[in-house]
Amino acid sequence: MLMPWLLSGLGLVILLFAGDALVKGAVNLSLRLGVPALIVSLTIVAFGTSAPELLISVKAILDGVPGLALGNVVGSNTANILMVLGIPALLATMHTSECSTRKTYNQMIAASLLFIALAFRGVFDWISGLILLSGLAYMLYDAFGDAKDHRRACRSGEVEEEEEPEGADPDMAGWQIALFLILGLIGLPLGASLLVDNATLIAQTYGVSDTVIGLTLVAVGTSLPELATTVMAALRRQADVALGNVIGSNMFNLLAIIGIASLVGPISVDEAFFRIDLWVMLGASLLLIPFVYLGRDITRLWGVALSALYGLYLLIILI
């Protein structure tokens, strides 16, 4: 029985490395083609870091375990706030009072409410998928508008030029870019297959539903890239990166991942989601109000509280 756990871990490791390779390759290819760095950050990097969740969700639907797909997204959004912001805050206070994230935070709350409203239909089908992807299109259109305004301000000298996105290397050779893209495109489906197949086997062996596996094992695993990014941002005192990383990831999970996955096949919504999981996800999102609107920093005390809440949530699910 040890083998499925080892293979699940191997699948997760492959997913993390493949996702990182895909982002590096896509970023450097786009910059070589002359696409502005900020737009690359808002689109390709965001999609690239969500690729593991997308591949897992699509694979789960094709394998007939849609609960794992939905549990992965809902669980990841909860983990992104409580765990991904909680653990780094234990290491260093994040000065979120200096951030300006109200607009994107409002969009995240709107996406969460839209997602919950569609869940009450009982299934995420192609209609739900088109609605979610329409929300994604609006978000990207708005982001492109902000990017253009920012670039214009940079050229006029009103603000400083933005930093290169994570993974950018102006000296990267063409063959290296191609290698990163190939490794990412091969590794993502391989890792997703290993993780989904063996997580499903574990669930069946222990009598645990695929929904619970998605909310716990898979959700925590696919939140590790966000956790690593946020830990480094906290240590470097880049609170805007940490908070923006979480908000952006949650929006893409709700709008892009389920939006695309529901076009592959219908995702039925288990009644268990309405008892606790959807409301925990929304409640966790609302916990960001003091940091976004009231100028509070995420101190170590907040880190303890957020991490403890996530531990309690996992305990309730598993019991």
Side-chain angles (χ1 to χ4, degrees), residues 78-109:
T78 301
N80 279 349
I81 294 174
L82 299 181
M83 180 184 77
V84 171
L85 288 179
I87 292 178
L90 297 175
L91 304 176
T93 295
M94 288 187 279
H95 298 283
T96 46
S97 57
E98 303 170 359
C99 302
S100 178
T101 54
R102 291 188 181 185
K103 184 177 181 180
T104 51
Y105 175 72
N106 290 340
Q107 291 176 341
M108 185 192 78
I109 294 297

mmCIF file of all heavy atoms in Angstrom, residues 78-109:
data_model
loop_
_atom_site.group_PDB
_atom_site.id
_atom_site.type_symbol
_atom_site.label_atom_id
_atom_site.label_comp_id
_atom_site.label_asym_id
_atom_site.label_seq_id
_atom_site.Cartn_x
_atom_site.Cartn_y
_atom_site.Cartn_z
ATOM 1 N N THR A 78 -8.836 27.607 -0.560
ATOM 2 C CA THR A 78 -8.802 27.713 0.900
ATOM 3 C C THR A 78 -7.367 27.635 1.399
ATOM 4 O O THR A 78 -6.939 28.428 2.250
ATOM 5 C CB THR A 78 -9.645 26.601 1.539
ATOM 6 O OG1 THR A 78 -10.997 26.701 1.070
ATOM 7 C CG2 THR A 78 -9.640 26.705 3.056
ATOM 8 N N ALA A 79 -6.600 26.675 0.852
ATOM 9 C CA ALA A 79 -5.204 26.514 1.260
ATOM 10 C C ALA A 79 -4.374 27.742 0.899
ATOM 11 O O ALA A 79 -3.480 28.139 1.649
ATOM 12 C CB ALA A 79 -4.610 25.264 0.605
ATOM 13 N N ASN A 80 -4.661 28.358 -0.251
ATOM 14 C CA ASN A 80 -3.893 29.523 -0.693
ATOM 15 C C ASN A 80 -3.971 30.666 0.307
ATOM 16 O O ASN A 80 -3.016 31.427 0.470
ATOM 17 C CB ASN A 80 -4.396 30.007 -2.054
ATOM 18 C CG ASN A 80 -3.831 29.192 -3.198
ATOM 19 O OD1 ASN A 80 -2.911 28.390 -3.011
ATOM 20 N ND2 ASN A 80 -4.383 29.379 -4.382
ATOM 21 N N ILE A 81 -5.115 30.820 0.959
ATOM 22 C CA ILE A 81 -5.267 31.923 1.909
ATOM 23 C C ILE A 81 -4.791 31.522 3.302
ATOM 24 O O ILE A 81 -3.948 32.199 3.908
ATOM 25 C CB ILE A 81 -6.731 32.402 1.957
ATOM 26 C CG1 ILE A 81 -7.109 33.030 0.615
ATOM 27 C CG2 ILE A 81 -6.944 33.413 3.087
ATOM 28 C CD1 ILE A 81 -8.557 33.409 0.479
ATOM 29 N N LEU A 82 -5.304 30.421 3.821
ATOM 30 C CA LEU A 82 -5.002 30.057 5.204
ATOM 31 C C LEU A 82 -3.583 29.503 5.371
ATOM 32 O O LEU A 82 -2.878 29.868 6.315
ATOM 33 C CB LEU A 82 -6.026 29.026 5.703
ATOM 34 C CG LEU A 82 -7.495 29.492 5.708
ATOM 35 C CD1 LEU A 82 -8.399 28.389 6.234
ATOM 36 C CD2 LEU A 82 -7.664 30.762 6.530
ATOM 37 N N MET A 83 -3.161 28.634 4.454
ATOM 38 C CA MET A 83 -1.832 28.026 4.564
ATOM 39 C C MET A 83 -0.758 28.867 3.893
ATOM 40 O O MET A 83 0.290 29.148 4.487
ATOM 41 C CB MET A 83 -1.851 26.622 3.958
ATOM 42 C CG MET A 83 -0.497 25.910 4.020
ATOM 43 S SD MET A 83 -0.497 24.295 3.193
ATOM 44 C CE MET A 83 -0.429 24.792 1.461
ATOM 45 N N VAL A 84 -1.033 29.300 2.650
ATOM 46 C CA VAL A 84 0.004 29.988 1.862
ATOM 47 C C VAL A 84 0.320 31.373 2.430
ATOM 48 O O VAL A 84 1.443 31.863 2.292
ATOM 49 C CB VAL A 84 -0.417 30.069 0.384
ATOM 50 C CG1 VAL A 84 0.519 30.947 -0.413
ATOM 51 C CG2 VAL A 84 -0.461 28.671 -0.217
ATOM 52 N N LEU A 85 -0.651 32.022 3.069
ATOM 53 C CA LEU A 85 -0.368 33.299 3.746
ATOM 54 C C LEU A 85 -0.005 33.085 5.214
ATOM 55 O O LEU A 85 0.753 33.870 5.786
ATOM 56 C CB LEU A 85 -1.567 34.237 3.638
ATOM 57 C CG LEU A 85 -1.847 34.852 2.263
ATOM 58 C CD1 LEU A 85 -3.084 35.730 2.321
ATOM 59 C CD2 LEU A 85 -0.655 35.662 1.769
ATOM 60 N N GLY A 86 -0.534 32.023 5.813
ATOM 61 C CA GLY A 86 -0.297 31.785 7.238
ATOM 62 C C GLY A 86 1.118 31.368 7.555
ATOM 63 O O GLY A 86 1.772 31.934 8.443
ATOM 64 N N ILE A 87 1.635 30.370 6.826
ATOM 65 C CA ILE A 87 2.976 29.844 7.123
ATOM 66 C C ILE A 87 4.073 30.888 6.897
ATOM 67 O O ILE A 87 4.948 31.072 7.765
ATOM 68 C CB ILE A 87 3.234 28.558 6.310
ATOM 69 C CG1 ILE A 87 2.314 27.440 6.818
ATOM 70 C CG2 ILE A 87 4.693 28.148 6.389
ATOM 71 C CD1 ILE A 87 2.438 26.143 6.062
ATOM 72 N N PRO A 88 4.091 31.624 5.760
ATOM 73 C CA PRO A 88 5.131 32.653 5.593
ATOM 74 C C PRO A 88 5.076 33.738 6.665
ATOM 75 O O PRO A 88 6.120 34.271 7.063
ATOM 76 C CB PRO A 88 4.821 33.241 4.209
ATOM 77 C CG PRO A 88 4.120 32.145 3.497
ATOM 78 C CD PRO A 88 3.288 31.462 4.539
ATOM 79 N N ALA A 89 3.861 34.066 7.146
ATOM 80 C CA ALA A 89 3.735 35.090 8.182
ATOM 81 C C ALA A 89 4.381 34.649 9.491
ATOM 82 O O ALA A 89 4.758 35.495 10.317
ATOM 83 C CB ALA A 89 2.264 35.442 8.407
ATOM 84 N N LEU A 90 4.518 33.339 9.692
ATOM 85 C CA LEU A 90 5.210 32.840 10.884
ATOM 86 C C LEU A 90 6.706 33.155 10.817
ATOM 87 O O LEU A 90 7.372 33.279 11.843
ATOM 88 C CB LEU A 90 5.016 31.323 11.012
ATOM 89 C CG LEU A 90 3.581 30.821 11.219
ATOM 90 C CD1 LEU A 90 3.552 29.302 11.197
ATOM 91 C CD2 LEU A 90 3.007 31.352 12.534
ATOM 92 N N LEU A 91 7.218 33.291 9.599
ATOM 93 C CA LEU A 91 8.647 33.551 9.394
ATOM 94 C C LEU A 91 8.968 35.035 9.425
ATOM 95 O O LEU A 91 10.011 35.442 9.941
ATOM 96 C CB LEU A 91 9.098 32.955 8.055
ATOM 97 C CG LEU A 91 8.831 31.453 7.853
ATOM 98 C CD1 LEU A 91 9.242 31.025 6.451
ATOM 99 C CD2 LEU A 91 9.572 30.641 8.905
ATOM 100 N N ALA A 92 8.075 35.854 8.855
ATOM 101 C CA ALA A 92 8.316 37.303 8.800
ATOM 102 C C ALA A 92 6.989 38.021 8.575
ATOM 103 O O ALA A 92 6.149 37.544 7.808
ATOM 104 C CB ALA A 92 9.286 37.645 7.670
ATOM 105 N N THR A 93 6.823 39.147 9.246
ATOM 106 C CA THR A 93 5.616 39.955 9.052
ATOM 107 C C THR A 93 5.544 40.442 7.613
ATOM 108 O O THR A 93 6.535 40.916 7.051
ATOM 109 C CB THR A 93 5.623 41.166 9.998
ATOM 110 O OG1 THR A 93 5.537 40.697 11.346
ATOM 111 C CG2 THR A 93 4.438 42.082 9.714
ATOM 112 N N MET A 94 4.369 40.304 7.004
ATOM 113 C CA MET A 94 4.175 40.803 5.639
ATOM 114 C C MET A 94 3.465 42.150 5.713
ATOM 115 O O MET A 94 2.349 42.244 6.232
ATOM 116 C CB MET A 94 3.355 39.789 4.826
ATOM 117 C CG MET A 94 4.125 38.531 4.484
ATOM 118 S SD MET A 94 3.239 37.424 3.370
ATOM 119 C CE MET A 94 2.151 36.599 4.521
ATOM 120 N N HIS A 95 4.123 43.179 5.216
ATOM 121 C CA HIS A 95 3.600 44.542 5.335
ATOM 122 C C HIS A 95 2.578 44.827 4.237
ATOM 123 O O HIS A 95 2.807 45.636 3.337
ATOM 124 C CB HIS A 95 4.755 45.541 5.310
ATOM 125 C CG HIS A 95 5.702 45.364 6.461
ATOM 126 N ND1 HIS A 95 5.407 45.816 7.733
ATOM 127 C CD2 HIS A 95 6.910 44.760 6.534
ATOM 128 C CE1 HIS A 95 6.410 45.507 8.549
ATOM 129 N NE2 HIS A 95 7.330 44.870 7.843
ATOM 130 N N THR A 96 1.430 44.163 4.353
ATOM 131 C CA THR A 96 0.369 44.307 3.365
ATOM 132 C C THR A 96 -0.310 45.670 3.432
ATOM 133 O O THR A 96 -1.069 46.025 2.529
ATOM 134 C CB THR A 96 -0.685 43.202 3.558
ATOM 135 O OG1 THR A 96 -1.016 43.099 4.951
ATOM 136 C CG2 THR A 96 -0.141 41.858 3.097
ATOM 137 N N SER A 97 -0.044 46.433 4.496
ATOM 138 C CA SER A 97 -0.625 47.776 4.606
ATOM 139 C C SER A 97 -0.088 48.691 3.501
ATOM 140 O O SER A 97 -0.698 49.712 3.186
ATOM 141 C CB SER A 97 -0.302 48.383 5.978
ATOM 142 O OG SER A 97 1.103 48.423 6.187
ATOM 143 N N GLU A 98 1.052 48.308 2.908
ATOM 144 C CA GLU A 98 1.654 49.121 1.850
ATOM 145 C C GLU A 98 1.156 48.723 0.456
ATOM 146 O O GLU A 98 1.554 49.322 -0.538
ATOM 147 C CB GLU A 98 3.177 48.967 1.912
ATOM 148 C CG GLU A 98 3.779 49.356 3.271
ATOM 149 C CD GLU A 98 5.246 48.966 3.378
ATOM 150 O OE1 GLU A 98 5.774 48.388 2.395
ATOM 151 O OE2 GLU A 98 5.853 49.222 4.431
ATOM 152 N N CYS A 99 0.305 47.683 0.376
ATOM 153 C CA CYS A 99 -0.134 47.151 -0.923
ATOM 154 C C CYS A 99 -1.415 47.834 -1.398
ATOM 155 O O CYS A 99 -2.213 48.316 -0.596
ATOM 156 C CB CYS A 99 -0.384 45.644 -0.825
ATOM 157 S SG CYS A 99 1.062 44.719 -0.283
ATOM 158 N N SER A 100 -1.589 47.832 -2.702
ATOM 159 C CA SER A 100 -2.817 48.343 -3.308
ATOM 160 C C SER A 100 -3.437 47.225 -4.142
ATOM 161 O O SER A 100 -3.164 47.085 -5.330
ATOM 162 C CB SER A 100 -2.516 49.569 -4.182
ATOM 163 O OG SER A 100 -3.690 50.040 -4.806
ATOM 164 N N THR A 101 -4.253 46.395 -3.488
ATOM 165 C CA THR A 101 -4.816 45.216 -4.154
ATOM 166 C C THR A 101 -6.344 45.207 -4.101
ATOM 167 O O THR A 101 -6.953 44.164 -4.310
ATOM 168 C CB THR A 101 -4.289 43.928 -3.493
ATOM 169 O OG1 THR A 101 -4.552 43.994 -2.080
ATOM 170 C CG2 THR A 101 -2.801 43.762 -3.713
ATOM 171 N N ARG A 102 -6.958 46.354 -3.837
ATOM 172 C CA ARG A 102 -8.408 46.372 -3.677
ATOM 173 C C ARG A 102 -9.134 45.927 -4.941
ATOM 174 O O ARG A 102 -10.108 45.174 -4.874
ATOM 175 C CB ARG A 102 -8.880 47.782 -3.281
ATOM 176 C CG ARG A 102 -8.464 48.189 -1.880
ATOM 177 C CD ARG A 102 -9.103 49.499 -1.473
ATOM 178 N NE ARG A 102 -8.687 49.893 -0.135
ATOM 179 C CZ ARG A 102 -9.171 50.955 0.514
ATOM 180 N NH1 ARG A 102 -10.065 51.735 -0.092
ATOM 181 N NH2 ARG A 102 -8.747 51.250 1.727
ATOM 182 N N LYS A 103 -8.679 46.399 -6.085
ATOM 183 C CA LYS A 103 -9.378 46.086 -7.332
ATOM 184 C C LYS A 103 -9.347 44.589 -7.623
ATOM 185 O O LYS A 103 -10.390 43.980 -7.918
ATOM 186 C CB LYS A 103 -8.739 46.864 -8.484
ATOM 187 C CG LYS A 103 -9.454 46.681 -9.815
ATOM 188 C CD LYS A 103 -8.813 47.542 -10.893
ATOM 189 C CE LYS A 103 -9.503 47.405 -12.222
ATOM 190 N NZ LYS A 103 -8.886 48.253 -13.271
ATOM 191 N N THR A 104 -8.166 43.977 -7.549
ATOM 192 C CA THR A 104 -8.070 42.547 -7.837
ATOM 193 C C THR A 104 -8.761 41.724 -6.751
ATOM 194 O O THR A 104 -9.327 40.665 -7.037
ATOM 195 C CB THR A 104 -6.602 42.106 -7.951
ATOM 196 O OG1 THR A 104 -5.874 42.568 -6.809
ATOM 197 C CG2 THR A 104 -5.975 42.667 -9.203
ATOM 198 N N TYR A 105 -8.733 42.218 -5.502
ATOM 199 C CA TYR A 105 -9.428 41.504 -4.424
ATOM 200 C C TYR A 105 -10.936 41.512 -4.672
ATOM 201 O O TYR A 105 -11.606 40.482 -4.501
ATOM 202 C CB TYR A 105 -9.121 42.157 -3.073
ATOM 203 C CG TYR A 105 -9.900 41.551 -1.924
ATOM 204 C CD1 TYR A 105 -9.595 40.280 -1.445
ATOM 205 C CD2 TYR A 105 -10.946 42.242 -1.320
ATOM 206 C CE1 TYR A 105 -10.308 39.712 -0.402
ATOM 207 C CE2 TYR A 105 -11.660 41.688 -0.283
ATOM 208 C CZ TYR A 105 -11.341 40.428 0.177
ATOM 209 O OH TYR A 105 -12.060 39.867 1.214
ATOM 210 N N ASN A 106 -11.478 42.654 -5.090
ATOM 211 C CA ASN A 106 -12.905 42.729 -5.408
ATOM 212 C C ASN A 106 -13.264 41.762 -6.529
ATOM 213 O O ASN A 106 -14.324 41.120 -6.507
ATOM 214 C CB ASN A 106 -13.288 44.159 -5.803
ATOM 215 C CG ASN A 106 -13.246 45.120 -4.636
ATOM 216 O OD1 ASN A 106 -13.296 44.704 -3.477
ATOM 217 N ND2 ASN A 106 -13.127 46.404 -4.925
ATOM 218 N N GLN A 107 -12.373 41.639 -7.517
ATOM 219 C CA GLN A 107 -12.605 40.699 -8.603
ATOM 220 C C GLN A 107 -12.589 39.256 -8.100
ATOM 221 O O GLN A 107 -13.377 38.421 -8.552
ATOM 222 C CB GLN A 107 -11.550 40.898 -9.701
ATOM 223 C CG GLN A 107 -11.691 42.199 -10.460
ATOM 224 C CD GLN A 107 -10.586 42.414 -11.472
ATOM 225 O OE1 GLN A 107 -9.522 41.792 -11.393
ATOM 226 N NE2 GLN A 107 -10.807 43.296 -12.428
ATOM 227 N N MET A 108 -11.707 38.965 -7.147
ATOM 228 C CA MET A 108 -11.648 37.615 -6.586
ATOM 229 C C MET A 108 -12.929 37.276 -5.832
ATOM 230 O O MET A 108 -13.464 36.166 -5.957
ATOM 231 C CB MET A 108 -10.447 37.470 -5.653
ATOM 232 C CG MET A 108 -10.244 36.055 -5.128
ATOM 233 S SD MET A 108 -9.057 35.950 -3.772
ATOM 234 C CE MET A 108 -10.059 36.535 -2.403
ATOM 235 N N ILE A 109 -13.433 38.229 -5.040
ATOM 236 C CA ILE A 109 -14.685 38.004 -4.301
ATOM 237 C C ILE A 109 -15.833 37.814 -5.283
ATOM 238 O O ILE A 109 -16.685 36.926 -5.111
ATOM 239 C CB ILE A 109 -14.977 39.173 -3.344
ATOM 240 C CG1 ILE A 109 -13.926 39.231 -2.231
ATOM 241 C CG2 ILE A 109 -16.372 39.031 -2.747
ATOM 242 C CD1 ILE A 109 -13.896 38.009 -1.335
#
